């Protein structure tokens, strides 16, 4: 296969983990006889600084030309504490999602046996937890009409039938490929938009008789994820709830640095870690590259290249088993490996 990849390193630790993602991507290509070409593009604060736009037209065109985007992270503290800033790095991420039509964000929540102790939850609760959160990514409050005055402000949580149907279909498709259990997470006791979600899901459920559909209010789901994470197989939810629940989900795994995601929809799919740009870690060679590297595994799997994805997962597991770990997940007294060293170890493993 010939793959054309748009690489968007972004801000903070983004460039460091991006480099390792690209190195792993190349090693796997070489191993399996694929060819890959990369085109780098700017986004986030880096793009605001150089062209005043967090998702410049040129970056969009680079993404459109590619088969897939390998995205890292955006965000910069210079903008976080300034409510008057009119351009923000995060707007670049939202623009990318909207313009590429990436309505389905797939966030797997898995555990690694050797890291169970890193979870703040009890071992017996999290062991074996393995579910996918499917987050709607181009609708809801993130994109609804907004207003910010001095004394009043609002964000509207709009969803159309089309948007709800297409994301529920993704949910059902994943449930069919897994354990045939779909949980629709909403707030239908309060929100009209949620009631439409629930109505449409109830209409669609009979088309998927092999899937058990259940409904859960988001507050209850937040609790259930902590009390009994193994309950879930596939969860589907709106943009805002998915944002919040997947951060919570990362605690099941034990580190934000381990969770990859795929965003798919109308145009080029994007593969990215769920974590942010961690500006405090920038340039220190301490960021965990595994979420980015596992995003590369998801990229291969998206194109049906299962063995390639499996080899990356095997390499990641081996690195964890052998304690080749960045500081936040290293065992007490264990050697410290940096972003580069972990990435390099995985590359060597892949080369075999
Ligand atoms: C995420 C992030 C983004 C979001 C931010 C950086 C805009 O938290 O991908 O979960 O809220 O969607
Ligand atoms: Mg988030």
């Amino acid at each position: 296969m010939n793959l054309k990849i748009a690489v968007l390193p972004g801000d903070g630790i983004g460039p460091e983990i991006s480099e390792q993602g690209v190195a792993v991507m190349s090693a796997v290509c070489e191993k399996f006889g694929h060819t890959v070409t990369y085109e780098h593009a700017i986004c986030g604060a880096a793009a605001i600084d150089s062209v005043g736009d967090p998702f410049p037209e040129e970056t969009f065109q680079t993404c459109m030309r590619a088969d897939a985007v390998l995205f890292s992270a955006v965000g910069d503290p210079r903008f976080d504490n300034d409510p008057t800033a009119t351009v923000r790095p995060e707007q670049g991420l939202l623009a990318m999602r909207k313009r590429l039509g990436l309505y389905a964000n797939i966030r797997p929540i898995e555990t690694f046996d050797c890291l169970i102790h890193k979870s703040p939850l009890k071992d017996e609760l999290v062991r074996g937890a393995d579910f996918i959160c499917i987050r709607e990514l181009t609708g809801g409050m993130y994109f609804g009409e907004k207003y910010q005055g001095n004394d009043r402000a609002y964000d509207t949580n709009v969803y159309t039938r089309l948007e709800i149907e297409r994301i529920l279909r993704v949910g059902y498709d994943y449930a069919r490929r897994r354990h045939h259990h779909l949980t629709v997470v909403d707030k239908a006791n309060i929100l009209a938009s949620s009631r439409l979600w629930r109505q449409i899901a109830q209409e669609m459920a009979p088309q998927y008789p092999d899937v058990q559909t259940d409904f859960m209010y988001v507050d209850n789901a937040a609790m259930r994820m902590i009390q009994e994470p193994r309950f879930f197989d596939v969860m589907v939810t709106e943009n805002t709830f998915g944002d919040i629940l997947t951060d919570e989900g990362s605690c099941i795994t034990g580190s934000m640095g381990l969770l990859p995601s795929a965003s798919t929809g109308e145009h080029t799919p994007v593969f990215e870690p769920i974590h942010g740009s961690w500006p405090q870690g920038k340039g220190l060679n301490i960021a965990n590259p595994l979420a980015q590297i596992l995003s590369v595994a998801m990229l291969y799997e998206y194109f049906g290249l299962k063995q390639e994805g499996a080899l990356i997962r095997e390499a990641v597991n081996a690195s964890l088993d052998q304690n080749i770990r960045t500081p936040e997940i290293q065992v007490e007294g264990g050697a410290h490996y940096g972003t580069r060293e972990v990435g390099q170890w995985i590359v060597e493993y892949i080369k075999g």
Side-chain angles (χ1 to χ4, degrees):
M1 197 168 178
N2 187 4
L3 286 160
K4 235 163 111 182
I5 307 294
V7 181
L8 274 57
D11 308 318
I13 58 166
E16 294 165 67
I17 58 167
S18 175
E19 208 177 298
Q20 301 314 315
V22 167
V24 168
M25 177 96 213
S26 298
V28 172
C29 271
E30 203 164 308
K31 175 105 185 178
F32 288 86
H34 305 301
T35 51
V36 58
T37 50
Y38 302 103
E39 204 179 332
H40 283 70
I42 52 170
C43 63
I48 296 178
D49 290 341
S50 71
V51 296
D53 178 352
F55 190 64
E57 180 63 26
E58 218 181 302
T59 298
F60 171 63
Q61 293 302 340
T62 303
C63 294
M64 290 297 281
R65 278 195 296 274
D67 297 311
V69 178
L70 191 62
F71 183 92
S72 299
V74 292
D76 189 298
R78 279 181 293 151
F79 301 88
D80 291 342
N81 300 321
D82 178 7
T84 64
T86 49
V87 228
R88 297 173 177 281
E90 290 78 5
Q91 287 165 350
L93 186 53
L94 299 194
M96 178 178 78
R97 290 172 179 171
K98 197 68 176 179
R99 294 196 71 189
L100 295 176
L102 305 170
Y103 59 83
N105 182 216
I106 316 298
R107 297 188 164 184
I109 313 283
E110 290 163 343
T111 52
F112 297 86
D113 279 347
C114 64
L115 290 179
I116 294 281
H117 64 286
K118 282 287 169 188
S119 171
L121 303 178
K122 287 200 189 98
D123 182 326
E124 67 266 25
L125 278 182
V126 290
R127 195 172 288 276
D130 173 8
F131 63 95
I132 293 192
C133 179
I134 296 178
R135 170 186 176 194
E136 199 292 327
L137 203 59
T138 52
M141 266 199 286
Y142 275 64
F143 295 96
E145 190 195 323
K146 291 171 190 296
Y147 168 78
Q148 185 176 349
N150 247 340
D151 301 309
R152 194 166 160 264
Y154 59 74
D155 302 275
T156 25
N157 199 29
V158 193
Y159 270 107
T160 64
R161 171 171 283 270
L162 182 149
E163 289 172 321
I164 299 168
E165 277 175 358
R166 68 183 179 185
I167 194 72
L168 287 173
R169 237 176 276 127
V170 175
Y172 276 114
D173 288 345
Y174 269 89
R176 279 198 158 156
R177 277 185 267 146
R178 291 174 50 97
H179 305 293
H180 301 259
H181 179 200
L182 182 71
T183 305
V184 180
V185 174
D186 64 26
K187 188 72 185 170
N189 49 346
I190 301 294
L191 303 177
S193 50
S194 280
R195 284 194 285 272
L196 184 59
W197 272 73
R198 206 173 265 224
Q199 180 195 321
I200 293 173
Q202 282 164 347
E203 287 168 18
M204 288 171 69
Q207 298 165 29
Y208 300 88
D210 52 321
V211 176
Q212 182 199 329
T213 308
D214 47 36
F215 298 93
M216 205 181 275
Y217 295 141
V218 62
D219 46 353
N220 187 24
M223 181 174 75
R224 200 71 183 264
M225 274 174 61
I226 298 295
Q227 272 184 338
E228 196 194 355
R230 284 189 297 255
F231 170 84
F232 297 100
D233 174 23
V234 179
M235 157 195 292
V236 61
T237 192
E238 64 156 85
N239 203 344
T240 308
F241 298 160
D243 176 47
I244 299 166
L245 292 179
T246 51
D247 264 33
E248 185 187 354
S250 74
C251 290
I252 295 172
T253 305
S255 168
M256 283 275 265
L258 291 165
L259 293 184
S261 80
S263 303
T264 64
E266 292 161 17
H267 304 294
T268 319
V270 174
F271 300 86
E272 57 171 312
I274 83 153
H275 62 70
S277 60
W278 195 34
Q280 304 88 327
K282 179 182 171 171
L284 302 177
N285 192 37
I286 54 173
N288 193 337
L290 294 186
Q292 179 85 78
I293 289 170
L294 289 167
S295 307
V296 177
M298 288 187 87
L299 189 161
Y300 278 110
E301 286 156 0
Y302 175 87
F303 290 104
L305 303 172
K306 291 210 175 99
Q307 282 182 311
E308 288 79 342
L311 179 59
I312 297 178
R313 293 179 192 280
E314 183 190 313
V316 165
N317 286 330
S319 74
L320 290 171
D321 284 341
Q322 297 184 36
N323 284 327
I324 315 298
R325 307 180 184 182
T326 44
E328 95 287 5
I329 52 169
Q330 185 49 287
V331 291
E332 215 175 305
H336 278 191
Y337 291 86
T339 314
R340 277 192 298 275
E341 289 70 32
V342 171
Q344 215 38 55
W345 193 93
I346 288 170
V347 165
E348 293 306 323
Y349 184 99
I350 288 166
K351 285 184 178 166

